[in-house]
Amino acid sequence: MLTALTGAYGDRADAVTVAGRTASYEEILGAARAVAADLSGTHPPAFAVTATASLETVAAVVGGLLAGIPCVPLPPDAGPAERGHILRDSAARLIEVDFARRSTATPTPAPTSVVRGSDDPALILYTSGTTGAPKGVVLSTAAITADLDALAEAWQWSAADTLVHGLPLFHVHGLVLGVLGALRTGSRLVHTGRPTPEAYAAAGGSLYFGVPTVWSRIAADPHAAAALSGARLLVSGSAALPAPIFRDLERLSGHRIVERYGMTETLITVSGRAGGRLSPGTVGTPLPGISTRIAAEDGAEIGELQLTGPTLFSGYLGRPEATAAAYTEDGWFRTGDIAAVDDSDGVHRIVGRASTDMIKSGGYRIGAGEIENALLDHPRVTEAAVVGVPDPDLGQRIVAFVVAQQVTGTELTDFVAAHLSVHKRPREVRFVAAIPRNAMGKPQKRLLLSEDGKPRP
């Protein structure tokens, strides 16, 4: 899978840079072989590594692939309870990696009975749902390879590129796309350690990955945004990119940013294309091999996005019931995301999560994301999160939580009503200091609500 490490693109002294430390393909392979040799000696069912932004994490993940033993990347900031749960649930052995340690020999092959195939586990990534402990998402080499090759085609991603990002190495975005993608395509990788505007501006890349929080900060720094004008492609994911940020980046850098859609369970399935039509609020069309459909109620334009294809996960580790529940009776994966598809060109638009972003108010089905984008178009609003809360008359009442200055709730309600249908206006606006978000910048709307679904006092 890791084409660059086979010598297909030759060796590069600066093949991979992470947080200021640089290594060649030969050095990465040597350190990974040392990890693989250790793993092959004991052959645990899985192994874990504290996935810091470091060359050690790169070596560990590659070493696991060489040994055929799935890697469980641990978030560096995980608390004792979360860390303990992941290690117990996965039965993974936690290892430490010394990047200076090298092995020049290929590790002794594991016994024939445990030799791994392309459909066997390569990574186990833990993802949190709305309730319960995090579940282990099992990803195979076949799924990862299919996804990276599809993205390389969509983004014209090649060994001529220098990929720049500063994303966590325990998620699909930073690890699968941001590390394994570079080793698959042969592109040089520069991981900035922290994804600051200054670091992105100084990196001199041709291809940049970021989440909306990163792009928001770059858009607020005209010098940094202008420094990206020489890049080939900017890509945003992991959460919806607000339309004002899209437009600000285009104005400052000359780039219309590519958005893509995916989940830990599916990898990336829908994306804009390099050289294609790119519009704010849209995530493009399905990648090769992916089929999508919208499960909508009669007459509705929006509904749950469901999909099939070769990039889907193998299942939730040790949870066959949860795995079965994730699929429809006819075998389509339920994303839980609400989407709409343009009939003319098949471009997808993600409205939000079914659990929190599909609002049924006064007989209307309303997507929270549409209202959030309208609010963010107001010059005095910097953040917005929209939810539906129980209402005896309407069924659900639209409530907007906003971070703003020198504007009233009535002004914002009228602003939305003037831009969208009147029935989509917030019935209540609450001003907050910040919208709670996870490590990837996704809004955590449930933290804004009490257990009965009403806004917290």
Side-chain angles (χ1 to χ4, degrees):
M1 183 178 73
L2 305 179
T3 314
L5 299 183
T6 68
Y9 306 107
D11 198 19
R12 287 177 173 170
D14 60 350
V16 175
T17 299
V18 183
R21 297 167 60 203
T22 298
S24 66
Y25 290 136
E26 182 179 4
E27 289 170 325
I28 292 169
L29 186 57
R33 281 174 169 166
V35 171
D38 291 343
L39 293 173
S40 297
T42 57
H43 209 90
F47 75 99
V49 63
T50 302
T52 57
S54 64
L55 292 174
E56 283 74 18
T57 298
V58 176
V61 173
V62 174
L65 291 170
L66 292 176
I69 298 173
C71 177
V72 181
L74 290 171
D77 60 350
E82 180 181 357
R83 190 179 182 90
H85 163 73
I86 293 174
L87 292 174
R88 288 190 302 272
D89 188 71
S90 63
R93 176 166 67 89
L94 182 63
I95 69 167
E96 299 289 339
V97 179
D98 177 5
F99 191 78
R101 181 169 170 244
R102 301 278 191 272
S103 174
T104 57
T106 302
T108 303
T112 304
S113 60
V114 294
V115 166
R116 304 281 181 173
S118 62
D119 291 327
D120 287 306
L123 295 172
I124 304 173
L125 304 182
Y126 275 76
T127 182
S128 297
T130 56
T131 60
K135 299 187 293 291
V137 174
V138 181
L139 298 172
S140 68
T141 300
I144 294 170
T145 302
D147 202 52
L148 295 179
D149 287 350
L151 290 173
E153 177 183 336
W155 298 342
Q156 299 174 15
W157 185 3
S158 73
D161 280 307
T162 293
L163 169 63
V164 177
H165 73 90
L167 303 172
L169 299 189
F170 50 91
H171 286 295
V172 166
H173 200 167
L175 177 60
V176 177
L177 275 61
V179 173
L180 301 185
L183 295 177
R184 175 72 174 168
T185 61
S187 62
R188 179 172 172 255
L189 169 62
V190 177
H191 189 291
T192 59
R194 295 181 64 247
T196 64
E198 296 81 7
Y200 272 45
S206 60
L207 176 62
Y208 285 79
F209 292 167
V211 298
T213 301
V214 172
W215 295 122
S216 173
R217 292 171 181 173
I218 290 174
D221 185 334
H223 172 76
L228 303 187
S229 61
R232 187 178 62 78
L233 202 67
L234 311 182
V235 180
S236 182
S238 298
L241 182 73
I245 297 174
F246 181 101
R247 291 191 286 267
D248 286 346
L249 283 170
E250 181 179 14
R251 175 174 55 83
L252 294 167
S253 72
H255 289 287
R256 296 176 70 82
I257 200 163
V258 169
E259 286 199 77
R260 85 298 183 281
Y261 169 80
M263 301 173 64
T264 306
E265 291 90 338
T266 67
L267 300 177
I268 309 307
T269 52
V270 181
S271 179
R273 304 300 200 269
R277 182 174 72 86
L278 303 172
S279 302
T282 64
V283 293
T285 55
L287 294 174
I290 300 295
S291 297
T292 66
R293 70 184 185 188
I294 302 298
E297 295 180 1
D298 290 344
E301 296 181 355
I302 60 176
E304 184 188 42
L305 177 64
Q306 299 175 354
L307 49 86
T308 63
T311 68
L312 268 65
F313 73 143
S314 304
Y316 294 113
L317 183 67
R319 289 173 169 79
E321 296 85 1
T323 302
Y327 288 87
T328 64
E329 291 185 359
D330 57 348
W332 289 68
F333 180 79
R334 307 174 187 269
T335 67
D337 285 315
I338 303 302
V341 179
D342 190 317
D343 290 336
S344 64
D345 55 11
V347 169
H348 287 48
R349 177 169 53 88
I350 305 300
V351 175
R353 290 294 294 172
S355 57
T356 56
D357 294 329
M358 173 60 77
I359 302 171
K360 297 182 180 180
S361 182
Y364 294 101
R365 292 169 62 86
I366 303 164
E370 186 177 18
I371 304 171
E372 288 163 356
N373 274 332
L375 287 165
L376 289 168
D377 270 334
H378 193 285
R380 294 191 179 95
V381 174
T382 55
E383 292 187 80
V386 171
V387 299
V389 303
D391 185 273
D393 178 46
L394 298 168
Q396 285 185 303
R397 182 175 77 260
I398 300 172
V399 177
F401 294 85
V402 299
V403 179
Q405 293 181 338
Q406 298 180 330
V407 65
T408 68
T410 300
E411 288 174 319
L412 292 179
T413 295
D414 292 343
F415 183 81
V416 172
H419 284 69
L420 305 175
S421 301
V422 173
H423 69 264
K424 296 179 181 179
R425 72 192 185 282
R427 301 298 179 120
E428 180 182 351
V429 175
R430 293 203 172 198
F431 294 95
V432 294
I435 302 299
R437 298 178 183 274
N438 66 12
M440 297 301 288
K442 293 182 180 180
Q444 303 294 285
K445 295 185 180 182
R446 291 184 178 274
L447 298 180
L448 297 168
L449 304 174
S450 58
E451 290 185 2
D452 61 0
K454 295 180 179 179
R456 292 185 181 276

